[in-house]
Amino acid sequence: MDDDGTRGARGSSADRFPGPALPPPPTTPPRVPAPAAGPRPAATPVEQRPTRTGPASPAEQPLPGAPVDVWLRTPRPPQEPGVWRYGYTPPPPEEPEGVSNRSLLVGALISLLSALLLWSLWRNGYLPYRLVPLKLFTPGEWWNPGTSGGPRTIEGSDALTVYEAILFGLLAYGCGRIGNFSELFRRHVADRGQPFLALAAAAAAGLTQLLVWKEALPVVRPVLILVASVAGGEIYQSQTVVNIIYAVIAAAVLYPFARLGRWRELIAARRGAAAPAPDGTAVPPVAATSADQWPELRTAGWTDAADTLTAEVRTGRMNDVDVARLRHAWALATRRPDRLAPLAEAVLRTGGAAVLHPSGHRDLPRRGARHDVLTGQVRIGRCADDPHNPYVRRGTGLALDPALLGTSLLAVGPPGAGKTARLIRPVVEALALRALAGQAAVLAVGGAGAPLGPDDAFDVVVRVGHPGSAHDIDLYGGTTDPDEAAAVLAEGLVGDVGSLDSRRAATVLAQLLGPYRAAHGHFPSVPELRELLDGTPAALAGLRTSLEAAGHHTMLRELDARSRQAGGPGDPAPALADRVALLDRPAFTGFFATGPDARPFSLRALGQHPLRVRVDLPERGHAEASRLLTRLLLAQFTAITAARTDTTLFACLVLDDATHAVTAETVRGIRRLRSVNAGAVLALRTVDDVPETLHTPLLGAVGCTAAFSGITTWDGKRFAEAWGKEWVETREVAQHTVFADQPFTRALHALRKLVTGKAVTTDAVTVRQVERERWSASELAYALPAGHAVIRLATVDGEHAPPLLVHLDG
């Protein structure tokens, strides 16, 4: 949020939220303001801007067009790190690799022809001993003598009819199993869906009924014989009973086809679509334990507050940020029982506008990514259908949340790969939404004009070197301890200079900052610090005079020590003065001022307030100064967050360009962030933007890494080494052509080649376990399509996901 100079003094202290006064509670239901046509007007003062309230537009909902109550009730099952949990449904079980359609059709045809041939041989009596099994279980007087003798009596004829029906059923079953007719039906009929499935089943049912009643299929006579044997032949004297038996046979023939064709489901779907719901039909009541009924408030006994919030959700007066904010406020209040009653009273009084963010905003002006504020996830892409990805992750959404960002994230890719638009911007949006919900604080640092979000999406906008900026940057991190300020400032000034020891540089700065603060009550400004580091006699003499007049003898000893060490071999003061000179430019005049009248923005406020801060650096005209300030902000952030006592808020630093900003000390600080509920997101064009000695420590310090398309093989090699190897099963198949010696065998092989189109071969298969890189350097450099990245994720709890190929959709 840019206040455009509406406040008297620029900057903020750590104990004061740098925003406007809280607006009065809204007296009317919040509504989303309609977007204005034409170009955006000039920014107005913060006090005059209307408060953005009301539910998010349909395009901003986690599921486009879904009401807040539906969004709230949507399940979010726990999943592996990075899985987009909103409405997640697990994929179907992985199917084994099947045979080709040609082989499937040929196999089914051969099976069918074989079954017809076998049945023809049976019916014509060409199969010997075909009646022996039947004669073993029936009386001998039913049959003529001999193994091939036929039936002598009517009972024998009936038994043969039933016997043949049973054998026909077994033959049909075996033909279907051997010919894999179920797979053939699934591929070419069931997978085409309705109504083709129902029509095909109906056609097959009609053909089967015709064959049954024409007695081409042995069904009717065997059934009549069995019924007569059980109930007696007199049962057929009643025409009604005969009709019933015929109807049962017809229904029994139709039933399997009705199940295969899913006729019942199709009829039910048609009836549901043809019968519209009458006007005024009441929506079925939701169970009292559903999420939109606020069960946690009801359990605690605050039924009135729960009813108020339920009505707000149902009528659309709340958005997803309101829900997340009130849930978080209630969770914090349960830890302090004395806060429950005031929170419930605020809910009864203002509804969804209770416990607003200090800025008074209830949503961002616009969203460019898909968010689930309830879980803190932001969807950045979709896992590609690639063999490198596990089957269960293919096609699933990939999302980032504070549990992942708490391990810090390193994104590497050339310009134009989409780091800012498809990763940095969505992450900043997600953290800004969590800040509005009172759960996070975000500091986004980028060049002037970087698309990190509009000004009114932030509480503080610092434009370094811009005369209209409402805030400055505190070079000393808001601390009053000279040693702490010197350590952080030294890291920012010369932390990237490998030949200098940052500890010696911190000692030099402490020898000057301590005496100056003791004499003047504040740290020196940039011009004054430059003069002290240069050893200007007038500046040192004036400081000495002030210390003698105030009686600070201890600080005089510090100043004397600095005077003795000045000009010696290895003195870091000249290098420090040269770096400070980068900030002592006309464009920065008065920007880094100190003293009682200049209160620059302090990063310490990030640890105490849910702030949304954006820093614009003058990269075009002052590239070296921008890198210095980026390095300084990173050093201040790691130092300040590590010293926090209250780690309730998740604090995150997002660097759109971390070139030459990473030092050995900041790498150690990044490693400590996950234990203090903080994280950092660093974007680099190449890993070579970091000193070579820090390549391995940096990749080991961050838990999440992303390699964008277009990286070099050198960068790919470093990622491949960091991601490690995995055991995979390899199959080596050697095919050898079979040469037959016998004429009959050669004829069979020729027939098989004619049917399948392939020569008869034997396969020699070798299966073994080998260890291979998850992604090789060449694959990362040349196999990544545009708009894709390989992302490896890990949580602060130690869970991790393998490197996944992700199509980034922002």
Side-chain angles (χ1 to χ4, degrees):
M1 179 182 65
D2 182 15
D3 55 15
D4 291 332
T6 55
R7 287 185 288 277
R10 296 191 302 179
S12 67
S13 59
D15 56 351
R16 185 174 66 88
F17 188 91
L22 291 180
T27 58
T28 59
R31 291 290 183 267
V32 178
R40 180 182 295 274
T44 57
V46 176
E47 289 78 357
Q48 300 176 5
R49 288 178 183 162
T51 301
R52 294 181 301 277
T53 59
S57 62
E60 296 172 349
Q61 295 287 350
L63 185 62
V68 178
D69 56 343
V70 176
W71 167 81
L72 193 55
R73 293 196 304 267
T74 302
R76 297 165 174 84
Q79 293 298 323
E80 297 179 0
V83 176
W84 174 251
R85 294 168 51 191
Y86 179 80
Y88 174 81
T89 54
E94 185 176 8
E95 297 181 359
E97 184 178 355
V99 297
S100 63
N101 289 331
R102 177 179 177 179
S103 300
L104 191 63
L105 291 172
V106 170
L109 180 60
I110 293 176
S111 176
L112 180 60
L113 294 177
S114 301
L116 292 176
L117 176 62
L118 186 61
W119 182 247
S120 177
L121 294 175
W122 168 271
R123 293 295 301 269
N124 291 287
Y126 290 105
L127 296 180
Y129 309 106
R130 64 190 185 94
L131 298 181
V132 171
L134 179 61
K135 292 181 179 181
L136 292 176
F137 295 96
T138 55
E141 59 270 14
W142 290 3
W143 310 97
N144 292 320
T147 55
S148 300
R152 176 188 300 176
T153 63
I154 297 177
E155 290 83 358
S157 299
D158 293 343
L160 180 59
T161 301
V162 176
Y163 178 58
E164 288 182 346
I166 295 174
L167 291 180
F168 180 83
L170 294 176
L171 182 62
Y173 176 77
C175 174
R177 291 297 301 270
I178 295 175
N180 204 0
F181 278 85
S182 60
E183 178 67 15
L184 187 66
F185 175 81
R186 185 189 65 81
R187 287 192 189 182
H188 299 283
V189 180
D191 287 350
R192 299 184 65 174
Q194 299 288 10
F196 180 82
L197 176 60
L199 293 176
L207 178 61
T208 305
Q209 287 283 11
L210 179 62
L211 296 177
V212 166
W213 297 117
K214 291 293 184 179
E215 296 190 1
L217 299 179
V219 176
V220 178
R221 288 192 62 195
V223 172
L224 295 177
I225 291 173
L226 289 176
V227 172
S229 64
V230 174
E234 297 81 4
I235 193 174
Y236 295 119
Q237 295 178 1
S238 172
Q239 186 63 35
T240 303
V241 174
V242 174
N243 293 337
I244 292 176
I245 294 175
Y246 283 164
V248 171
I249 294 174
V253 173
L254 288 177
Y255 178 74
F257 296 97
R259 290 290 301 273
L260 289 175
R262 302 175 184 174
W263 295 351
R264 184 177 180 181
E265 299 177 8
L266 180 62
I267 294 173
R270 296 291 183 182
R271 287 180 177 177
D279 295 338
T281 302
V283 179
V286 184
T289 56
S290 61
D292 65 330
Q293 293 279 344
W294 301 86
E296 59 273 13
L297 273 69
R298 299 182 187 277
T299 303
W302 301 98
T303 307
D304 294 341
D307 291 339
T308 300
L309 294 179
T310 300
E312 293 268 307
V313 170
R314 295 290 176 83
T315 56
R317 294 164 58 92
M318 290 179 62
N319 59 13
D320 52 353
V321 179
D322 295 331
V323 173
R325 185 185 69 251
L326 290 173
R327 279 175 170 261
H328 178 67
W330 182 263
L332 294 180
T334 54
R335 304 175 188 174
R336 299 278 300 273
D338 57 316
R339 297 183 179 179
L340 291 176
L343 176 59
E345 293 176 0
V347 169
L348 292 175
R349 184 174 64 255
T350 60
V355 291
L356 279 178
H357 186 264
S359 66
H361 297 168
R362 295 169 65 176
D363 200 356
L364 298 178
R366 58 179 177 269
R367 305 184 190 180
R370 189 174 173 186
H371 302 270
D372 185 15
V373 188
L374 203 60
T375 58
Q377 288 189 315
V378 53
R379 191 180 187 276
I380 63 172
R382 173 180 51 83
C383 295
D385 188 3
D386 186 85
H388 286 90
N389 293 343
Y391 171 77
V392 295
R393 299 301 296 269
R394 298 174 190 173
T396 61
L398 188 83
L400 298 176
D401 56 50
L404 297 171
L405 298 178
T407 64
S408 298
L409 186 148
L410 175 66
V412 179
K419 300 188 300 298
T420 301
R422 300 181 179 182
L423 180 64
I424 301 299
R425 172 71 181 270
V427 168
V428 173
E429 275 188 7
L431 294 172
L433 289 173
R434 288 188 71 81
L436 291 178
Q439 305 176 41
V442 56
L443 172 61
V445 181
L452 299 180
D455 292 352
D456 47 359
F458 295 91
D459 303 310
V460 175
V461 176
V462 182
R463 295 185 177 91
V464 179
H466 193 283
S469 178
H471 296 275
D472 296 341
I473 290 181
D474 189 351
L475 296 179
Y476 305 101
T479 183
T480 58
D481 185 359
D483 293 328
E484 182 180 352
V488 176
L489 185 58
E491 196 65 33
L493 292 176
V494 294
D496 61 327
V497 182
S499 59
L500 285 181
D501 187 357
S502 59
R503 292 174 295 182
R504 291 193 60 187
T507 301
V508 171
L509 288 172
Q511 290 173 345
L512 296 175
L513 297 182
Y516 191 94
R517 178 172 179 79
H520 300 283
H522 57 82
F523 290 122
S525 62
V526 169
E528 293 169 335
L529 179 61
R530 180 183 181 184
E531 291 179 352
L532 292 175
L533 290 172
D534 283 333
T536 304
L540 294 176
L543 179 58
R544 182 181 299 276
T545 301
S546 299
L547 291 174
E548 291 175 350
H552 295 291
H553 301 289
T554 304
M555 293 303 171
L556 281 172
R557 289 196 299 269
E558 289 287 310
L559 190 60
D560 292 337
R562 170 84 289 269
S563 300
R564 290 192 302 270
Q565 297 171 4
D571 183 17
L576 290 171
D578 291 341
R579 289 301 177 88
V580 173
L582 295 174
L583 303 179
D584 189 17
R585 306 298 301 166
F588 304 138
T589 300
F591 197 84
F592 303 107
T594 58
D597 296 333
R599 295 186 298 170
F601 172 74
S602 172
L603 263 65
R604 292 187 178 274
L606 289 174
Q608 303 178 14
H609 305 289
L611 279 173
R612 302 167 294 166
V613 184
R614 194 189 77 205
V615 177
D616 295 342
L617 301 175
E619 289 184 345
R620 293 186 178 180
H622 304 275
E624 288 298 327
S626 297
R627 293 174 181 176
L628 187 153
L629 292 175
T630 302
R631 191 164 52 248
L632 178 61
L633 291 174
L634 178 58
Q636 288 184 359
F637 181 81
T638 55
I640 291 171
T641 53
R644 286 193 305 170
T645 56
D646 183 8
T647 59
T648 304
L649 283 176
F650 175 73
C652 188
L653 169 66
V654 181
L655 296 182
D656 185 46
D657 184 7
T659 302
H660 301 297
V662 180
T663 64
E665 184 61 32
T666 53
V667 168
R668 287 189 287 268
I670 290 173
R671 189 179 291 111
R672 293 191 296 265
L673 290 179
R674 66 180 66 190
S675 62
V676 293
N677 195 24
V681 179
L682 311 177
L684 295 172
R685 295 182 179 89
T686 174
V687 182
D688 289 331
D689 288 338
V690 177
E692 186 176 358
T693 56
L694 297 179
H695 290 174
T696 300
L698 177 61
L699 290 173
V702 298
C704 304
T705 50
F708 284 71
S709 60
I711 65 172
T712 63
T713 52
W714 292 273
D715 288 343
K717 179 181 179 181
R718 298 181 181 97
F719 280 108
E721 293 176 351
W723 292 337
K725 301 180 179 181
E726 62 178 347
W727 289 98
V728 297
E729 183 180 279
T730 61
R731 295 170 58 90
E732 297 179 357
V733 181
Q735 293 185 341
H736 306 282
T737 304
V738 177
F739 298 96
D741 297 331
Q742 302 298 324
F744 181 73
T745 307
R746 285 199 298 268
L748 289 179
H749 288 184
L751 177 62
R752 179 176 175 181
K753 184 177 181 180
L754 180 63
V755 173
T756 62
K758 297 180 180 179
V760 179
T761 60
T762 58
D763 295 340
V765 182
T766 303
V767 180
R768 58 180 179 176
Q769 296 282 339
V770 297
E771 193 176 20
R772 290 182 179 176
E773 293 177 331
R774 300 179 185 271
W775 282 86
S776 67
S778 297
E779 288 175 329
L780 291 174
Y782 302 111
L784 296 189
H788 289 67
V790 179
I791 301 178
R792 186 256 186 187
L793 302 175
T795 67
V796 293
D797 297 329
E799 299 183 56
H800 59 85
L804 302 171
L805 178 62
V806 181
H807 175 243
L808 300 170
D809 52 21

